[in-house]
Amino acid sequence: MNARYATALKPARIKDSSGDRIFFAFCYSITILLAVIVLLPLIYVVSCSFSSGIAVSTGKVLLWPVEFTLDGYKRVVMYPMVWRSYANTILYTTGGTVLHICLVMIAAYPLARRGLPHKKIFMLFFSFTMLFNGGMIPSYLLVRDLGIMNTIWAMLIPGAFSAYNMVVARTFIQNSIPESLLEATQVDGCSDVRYFFQFVIPLSKAVIAVLSLQVAIAIWNSYFNALLYLTNDKLHPLQLVLRKVLLLSQISADDLMDPDDALALQGMADLMKYSLIVFATVPILCVYPFVQKYFVKGIMIGSIKG
Amino acid sequence: MEKLSKKYKRYWQLYLFLLIPVAYVFIFNYIPMVGVQISFKKLKITNTIWNAPWVGLENFQRFLGSYQFFDILLNTVVLSVYSVLAAFPFPILFALTLNAIEKNRFKKTIQTITYIPHFISVVVLVSIVNQVLHPMTGIYGVLFKAITGRMPDDLMGIPSAFPHIYVWSSVWQNFGYNSIIYFAALSSVDPELHEAAKVDGASRFRRVLHVDVPAILPTITIMLILRMSTVMTIGFQKVYLMQNTLNLETSEVISTYVYKKGLASGVSNDYSYSTAVDLFNSIVNLLLVTVSNTISRKVSETSLW
């Protein structure tokens, strides 16, 4: 839209003054500099992951891989915990996202309906949770008392609802689905339940996509709930394993399954960190180009609050 | 009476929908709120939330009187205020600067690049920070050695460096993504305003000041209130990962203290005490939101409620 406008106006454009030219030069240099600053650490990590362990631990790698090898990735792939935690994370992310969206939608739809008695009370009931919460310990005690510690439910259920997301979905439904549609279907004898599944859900695709994306990324990237509620290694998600390997440096000789080369362990451990970072982040970054168009939409939907 | 039941009968399916979320929020949000009462009690392993003896404000007094109180509060405030000061204006300035350039493909490319770090998890971010700042193998170490000829100190172990690393790594990660909302606001500026200003001889810089800035001012206000409301909620996740025994002096904040006292001390876990600390934090927060909301309603007529 903007692009078309700009090209249409081009012939009549007044020539940039010298002051403008300095200003543009400034804008270009600043933004390019920022992009470089963002990219440098990322390129560094990727380059390290393809370099040899010795080159990494002696600080030879700066921008391009030195002594190109796939050793780091071979180690990562052989590390059994990586695969199990990957599977766990995928399970928690898909399960958690589906549950979250279901709860948010079934709360948002009735509250978007005009004329529902006591709607204000329900809204207050949900909104209050945005201002105040019980905090870390009471939530922990609740999960413990419910007996879901160290089960997959501890990862799926706490955090399965967000009042903020519910308000976003509700505003979307109110603004984009016309009241006349409801009236027309009611005349034809359509029940509220059927209206929800047949009309509200299909017409809310955009908001569902945006919220799913945000929730899924948040679950994929978080480690806190797992740290609190899971002590069993077998259930640990990827981020917790990453923390163990990357930050606590707990890679032992037996974990590497090949205890013969204990000498090369240090260089290998460094190298493995880089490969693991790339290995764990690539899936999220692969989704990124496909969902980029939803960002602006998502933020716009979120910012119009009713 | 019949009328009344008819009124509800019409909506019974909608109430059915609400049943599950209401039950969920009741259990997972309101029960913990009731559980906050343990901050006024002495909860031991042998008793439950309900039959623990009341101790009044003892837990709060213990926190306020503890030798760590001042340091922890100061660390939390320093990190929060520094974060707002650095992280808030950055995306706005970035959006204004990039938006001034009228080449769409260039704009898109820069945007795509700067959004990337947002998708990196905290664990990975902190480990990238560790690797990049590593005194021997990181970019920082290698460059420092190349320039000065000696090995640098380990920045992660210097307490005074901690706030800077914490804040600027967050800026690095989020400034691009946080600028999206301002780009959206800027794209809705009426092009005729720019044309009119151009005809009047305004330079591009003047147009940024007098057309673009006023256009995004309401967005800035809303974002500022939202930001103020999270001032004291220094996220647990990142600080906890960046902590080590050497930088604890400046890196211990309320949320990490709550976790350590309440859940990570093994047998000496003190649920009551750490809930009291957490509650103290929540109340300060609630006050901050209310105050910033009231001020902004008076000053600019934009507010959250």
Side-chain angles (χ1 to χ4, degrees):
Chain A
M1 179 68 185
N2 268 338
R4 221 182 302 153
Y5 194 80
T7 43
L9 276 172
K10 228 170 204 163
R13 210 177 191 172
I14 303 161
K15 227 184 155 197
D16 294 347
S17 70
S18 63
D20 271 0
R21 244 174 281 151
I22 295 170
F23 180 63
F24 281 128
F26 167 81
C27 293
Y28 275 109
S29 36
I30 291 287
T31 47
I32 290 173
L33 181 71
L34 283 174
V36 169
I37 291 173
V38 165
L39 276 181
L40 263 183
L42 300 175
I43 294 175
Y44 166 74
V45 169
V46 174
S47 299
C48 280
S49 74
F50 286 109
S51 302
S52 75
I54 295 151
V56 169
S57 55
T58 51
K60 280 190 189 133
V61 186
L62 267 186
L63 267 188
W64 305 115
V66 176
E67 300 165 26
F68 183 91
T69 123
L70 290 173
D71 276 0
Y73 290 98
K74 281 181 196 148
R75 295 289 163 153
V76 168
V77 173
M78 271 158 49
Y79 198 48
M81 262 169 103
V82 169
W83 291 107
R84 197 171 51 216
S85 64
Y86 231 103
N88 287 340
T89 291
I90 291 172
L91 176 68
Y92 301 152
T93 307
T94 42
T97 309
V98 169
L99 200 63
H100 190 110
I101 297 301
C102 288
L103 276 175
V104 161
M105 288 310 288
I106 58 174
Y109 160 62
L111 295 174
R113 272 282 288 274
R114 213 169 290 167
L116 180 79
H118 308 307
K119 195 159 83 174
K120 275 230 167 87
I121 298 174
F122 284 110
M123 278 310 285
L124 199 67
F125 176 79
F126 287 119
S127 308
F128 185 66
T129 61
M130 291 197 270
L131 286 178
F132 189 76
N133 62 65
M136 197 185 290
I137 310 290
S139 307
Y140 172 85
L141 293 177
L142 175 72
V143 169
R144 191 195 64 182
D145 294 344
L146 287 174
I148 54 173
M149 290 278 279
N150 265 324
T151 64
I152 162 176
W153 302 110
M155 296 307 296
L156 295 180
I157 298 177
F161 183 81
S162 140
Y164 182 79
N165 286 347
M166 189 275 288
V167 172
V168 169
R170 170 181 175 260
T171 312
F172 180 89
I173 295 173
Q174 263 173 350
N175 292 341
S176 66
I177 304 177
E179 196 82 357
S180 50
L181 182 64
L182 176 70
E183 283 154 18
T185 52
Q186 272 173 344
V187 170
D188 292 341
C190 177
S191 72
D192 287 334
V193 175
R194 195 170 151 201
Y195 179 73
F196 176 72
F197 287 108
Q198 211 165 353
F199 295 97
V200 176
I201 293 289
L203 288 172
S204 307
K205 262 189 207 136
V207 78
I208 293 178
V210 166
L211 293 179
S212 307
L213 177 70
Q214 286 167 356
V215 173
I217 290 176
I219 300 178
W220 183 283
N221 283 342
S222 80
Y223 74 91
F224 184 53
N225 279 0
L227 181 70
L228 285 187
Y229 305 138
L230 301 178
T231 46
N232 181 354
D233 281 0
K234 291 203 165 68
L235 293 171
H236 280 180
L238 186 59
Q239 299 300 328
L240 217 52
V241 172
L242 286 179
R243 169 174 173 262
K244 212 169 140 187
V245 176
L246 299 178
L247 300 170
L248 308 179
S249 298
Q250 290 174 354
I251 316 175
S252 63
D254 2 309
D255 279 337
L256 285 171
M257 299 206 354
D258 192 5
D260 298 334
D261 47 10
L263 275 177
L265 196 66
Q266 191 44 48
M268 220 51 225
D270 278 340
L271 178 58
M272 232 182 100
K273 286 184 183 177
Y274 293 105
S275 311
L276 198 53
I277 289 176
V278 176
F279 194 69
T281 313
V282 158
I284 287 275
L285 289 185
C286 284
V287 190
Y288 167 62
F290 300 102
V291 295
Q292 202 188 353
K293 62 174 177 184
Y294 284 111
F295 292 167
V296 179
K297 213 186 235 169
I299 282 173
M300 291 318 280
I301 291 174
S303 62
I304 333 163
K305 289 219 282 175
Chain B
M1 196 59 209
E2 207 173 273
K3 219 177 169 186
L4 200 71
S5 68
K6 209 176 164 191
K7 180 174 142 195
Y8 288 111
K9 216 171 173 184
R10 243 183 86 190
Y11 293 105
W12 71 271
Q13 289 172 337
L14 295 181
Y15 285 118
L16 203 65
F17 272 113
L18 276 173
L19 194 66
I20 302 169
V22 166
Y24 177 89
V25 169
F26 180 78
I27 296 172
F28 286 92
N29 294 87
Y30 283 88
I31 290 185
M33 284 185 213
V34 177
V36 165
Q37 63 176 286
I38 61 170
S39 58
F40 302 98
K41 288 182 168 180
K42 185 106 209 129
L43 184 65
K44 291 209 182 100
I45 303 170
T46 44
N47 44 33
T48 67
I49 294 177
W50 299 103
N51 65 19
W54 292 93
V55 293
L57 294 173
E58 195 196 288
N59 292 311
F60 294 89
Q61 284 162 350
R62 239 176 82 207
F63 176 55
L64 297 178
S66 95
Y67 71 100
Q68 285 165 301
F69 169 72
F70 185 72
D71 285 343
I72 293 172
L73 189 65
L74 186 72
N75 290 341
T76 312
V77 171
V78 165
L79 281 189
S80 318
V81 173
Y82 190 6
S83 293
V84 176
L85 288 181
F88 189 73
F90 216 90
I92 302 172
L93 296 175
F94 172 67
L96 287 171
T97 316
L98 188 57
N99 192 64
I101 296 168
E102 279 142 357
K103 296 263 190 312
N104 275 310
R105 190 179 288 171
F106 177 78
K107 257 191 336 205
K108 273 265 148 58
T109 316
I110 299 283
Q111 281 174 319
T112 308
I113 292 172
T114 51
Y115 297 168
I116 296 175
H118 178 78
F119 297 93
I120 295 173
S121 71
V122 235
V123 179
V124 169
L125 174 77
V126 173
S127 101
I128 290 179
V129 169
N130 283 343
Q131 304 301 331
V132 167
L133 296 181
H134 196 283
M136 261 165 64
T137 64
I139 300 184
Y140 165 74
V142 172
L143 288 181
F144 193 94
K145 205 174 172 201
I147 295 166
T148 64
R150 59 194 174 81
M151 223 181 61
D153 297 323
D154 184 5
L155 283 180
M156 293 305 285
I158 304 173
S160 62
F162 179 83
H164 303 293
I165 300 172
Y166 176 85
V167 168
W168 290 103
S169 60
S170 293
V171 171
W172 177 81
Q173 183 175 27
N174 293 319
F175 84 91
Y177 192 81
N178 289 345
S179 67
I180 295 179
I181 188 151
Y182 301 111
F183 280 118
L186 283 169
S187 71
S188 63
V189 174
D190 188 351
E192 275 179 33
L193 283 175
H194 276 293
E195 287 309 314
K198 250 189 204 170
V199 170
D200 288 345
S203 67
R204 186 68 186 94
F205 179 62
R206 287 234 151 238
R207 281 189 282 132
V208 169
L209 280 189
H210 299 294
V211 179
D212 289 344
V213 171
I216 62 170
L217 215 51
T219 316
I220 295 178
T221 319
I222 289 278
M223 296 311 285
L224 191 61
I225 312 173
L226 279 175
R227 195 68 186 74
M228 289 311 287
S229 61
T230 57
V231 153
M232 287 288 281
T233 53
I234 272 297
F236 169 90
Q237 300 212 21
K238 194 174 160 198
V239 179
Y240 185 66
L241 292 178
M242 285 179 71
Q243 275 180 351
N244 56 47
T245 43
L246 296 171
N247 65 21
L248 213 54
E249 199 182 303
T250 56
S251 64
E252 187 80 295
V253 296
I254 295 180
S255 54
T256 55
Y257 183 71
V258 169
Y259 174 70
K260 284 176 193 166
K261 286 288 165 185
L263 296 173
S265 311
V267 276
S268 56
N269 277 347
D270 193 339
Y271 293 148
S272 292
Y273 178 64
S274 68
T275 307
V277 178
D278 212 2
L279 181 62
F280 169 81
N281 194 11
S282 298
I283 290 170
V284 175
N285 250 326
L286 203 58
L287 284 176
L288 279 173
V289 193
T290 323
V291 168
S292 59
N293 195 56
T294 317
I295 294 176
S296 100
R297 193 163 42 190
K298 286 228 167 90
V299 176
S300 66
E301 290 170 10
T302 10
S303 64
L304 293 179
W305 68 80

